[in-house]
Amino acid sequence: MRVAVIGAGVIGLSTAQSIYEQYHSIVTPLIIEVYADCFTPLTTSDGAAGFWQPYLYDKGNIQETKWNKETFDYLLSFLSSPESVKMGVFLQSGYNLCTEPCPDPSFKDIVLGFRQLTERELQLFPGYNFGWFNTALMVEGKTYLPWLTDWLQTRGVKFYHRKIGSFKELAETGADVIVNCSGIRSRELQADPELKPGRGQIVKVDAPWLKHWICTHNFTAGTYNSPYIIPGSRLVTVGGVFQLGNWNEQSNSADHKRIWENACQLEPSLKHARIVEDWSGLRPVRSKVRLERETIQSSPTPIEVIHNYGHGGFGLTIHRGCAQEAARLFGQIVEQKGKGPKARL
């Protein structure tokens, strides 16, 4: 059985991994191929800070909170192994700061040591009168994606540097199942008016004295439009902007100035940091993740597609839970096609 995965960001690679893990001993032969016009270190996943945190509120979408938790627990399980260093996974504590009191976030029972900030802590951050402290995970794309790529290549998964223009193109070359993990580019493969770019821009700086992440939440400005400072293993990521509908992937000096001034106001010691690079990318924004099967009628045979895209600014936060769900959908197709022993599915 031939599986073609479109997209080599964290969603595409982790989905290929989950399908392999669950079915390589059931479906024989199982040939998995990854097609992309952009590989690590040039994907959106590579540019992200790699901080595990979804949006504050799931707005009733408990399925996504479940996938977030599955991802957190999966990554957490690697901390007892030396492999975690190769994966770019480590613990990091920090502050969520709010301009006004608000309900606890949907992820409060997923992270470690969640608590409200004390008055004394809040005095460190003028302008913010409410917030929480917790320990979360970092999973840095620039390390994690090469680890996933290596994991897949070791197990015989093939990678092709090629832009896919349509699902039919892959079906005609013999793919039995197509997994669409192409992020914002899904619009080029199939119309989806719900999918929009959420442009982000960040500044990476050398500031090794910063040890805690700080995420601010201004409910008037909206998600990601107020400053955040996220120390990584080597550099500190400073943001942020969230510009819905903006397709520009170039960094822009006005955004840089605003990000930098706001961050320095939040953490004045940043004025002594060495700026290393600017980066911008497009978050694939949707009201909810599209994770579902679709059978596209085509001649001579229908095309089986699994869609897994629309993860906004939290692809690294949710990737494993979504990959496992996509693999479960793949199992349904296997069963229907009669390609594997039903008793084991």
Side-chain angles (χ1 to χ4, degrees):
M1 196 172 198
R2 234 181 99 204
V3 182
V5 178
I6 308 173
V10 72
I11 302 297
L13 299 183
S14 61
T15 302
Q17 181 187 43
S18 287
I19 289 172
Y20 180 90
E21 283 175 341
Q22 292 184 37
Y23 296 102
H24 79 278
S25 60
I26 297 173
V27 179
T28 50
L30 178 62
I31 300 154
I32 302 175
E33 301 162 340
V34 177
Y35 292 85
D37 61 349
C38 194
F39 289 92
T40 184
L42 303 173
T43 74
T44 308
S45 305
D46 287 285
F51 170 50
W52 188 98
Q53 183 165 296
Y55 301 153
L56 290 186
Y57 305 110
D58 62 19
K59 297 182 178 164
N61 191 346
I62 52 172
Q63 185 64 67
E64 287 184 13
T65 296
K66 175 177 167 282
W67 292 331
N68 288 328
K69 182 181 183 337
E70 285 169 7
T71 305
F72 191 92
D73 293 347
Y74 168 76
L75 295 170
L76 196 64
S77 72
F78 282 95
L79 289 181
S80 55
S81 135
E83 200 69 7
S84 60
V85 175
K86 293 185 188 169
M87 294 167 73
V89 175
F90 53 95
L91 291 172
Q92 188 102 287
S93 304
Y95 304 89
N96 275 296
L97 304 173
C98 306
T99 50
E100 60 194 83
C102 51
D104 287 347
S106 307
F107 56 78
K108 72 167 189 177
D109 295 326
I110 302 175
V111 295
L112 307 173
F114 179 89
R115 63 171 177 79
Q116 278 197 12
L117 293 180
T118 64
E119 205 53 52
R120 200 165 164 215
E121 285 171 312
L122 285 166
Q123 284 167 10
L124 296 169
F125 306 106
Y128 298 93
N129 58 18
F130 190 78
W132 312 283
F133 187 89
N134 65 263
T135 299
L137 284 161
M138 296 291 292
V139 50
E140 296 188 309
K142 271 190 166 33
T143 309
Y144 190 52
L145 265 60
W147 179 83
L148 278 171
T149 303
D150 194 48
W151 191 99
L152 293 166
Q153 285 178 327
T154 303
R155 288 157 181 80
V157 173
K158 295 280 187 285
F159 287 75
Y160 297 96
H161 193 274
R162 179 174 141 201
K163 183 165 183 172
I164 301 301
S166 68
F167 298 134
K168 197 168 170 53
E169 182 186 322
L170 285 172
E172 283 171 351
T173 59
D176 296 296
V177 180
I178 296 166
V179 190
N180 173 24
C181 305
S182 56
I184 194 63
R185 302 198 181 182
S186 293
R187 285 171 57 121
E188 296 168 23
L189 295 166
Q190 189 181 67
D192 181 354
E194 266 221 65
L195 181 65
K196 296 181 176 72
R199 182 180 175 275
Q201 183 169 321
I202 53 176
V203 184
K204 299 241 181 189
V205 304
D206 190 10
W209 59 89
L210 294 180
K211 305 296 183 193
H212 292 87
W213 47 264
I214 307 170
C215 279
T216 67
H217 306 278
N218 179 324
F219 298 105
T220 312
T223 307
Y224 296 138
N225 268 326
S226 60
Y228 56 82
I229 298 166
I230 302 169
S233 54
R234 292 178 202 81
L235 298 174
V236 176
T237 300
V238 177
V241 292
F242 185 92
Q243 297 162 346
L244 198 60
N246 185 343
W247 285 94
N248 183 11
E249 291 184 71
Q250 302 304 311
S251 291
N252 129 1
S253 57
D255 286 335
H256 172 99
K257 185 171 183 288
R258 182 161 69 86
I259 289 166
W260 191 243
E261 285 173 358
N262 289 345
C264 287
Q265 194 176 352
L266 179 65
E267 175 52 71
S269 73
L270 275 174
K271 289 176 182 167
H272 296 291
R274 180 177 64 87
I275 294 176
V276 176
E277 64 171 330
D278 274 67
W279 182 87
S280 58
L282 305 179
R283 306 173 180 99
V285 178
R286 246 177 143 263
S287 61
K288 63 177 186 178
V289 171
R290 185 180 185 197
L291 183 37
E292 63 186 5
R293 270 180 69 185
E294 182 183 15
T295 303
I296 298 172
Q297 295 310 320
S298 180
S299 159
T301 52
I303 304 170
E304 289 289 354
V305 179
I306 298 168
H307 297 284
N308 185 7
Y309 69 85
H311 304 84
F314 54 96
L316 285 156
T317 294
I318 203 171
H319 74 275
R320 176 67 179 189
C322 289
Q324 293 289 88
E325 176 63 16
R328 190 185 68 76
L329 296 175
F330 175 74
Q332 289 179 1
I333 298 169
V334 169
E335 203 164 343
Q336 283 170 8
K337 285 181 178 274
K339 298 259 182 168
K342 290 182 174 54
R344 291 187 62 181
L345 287 172

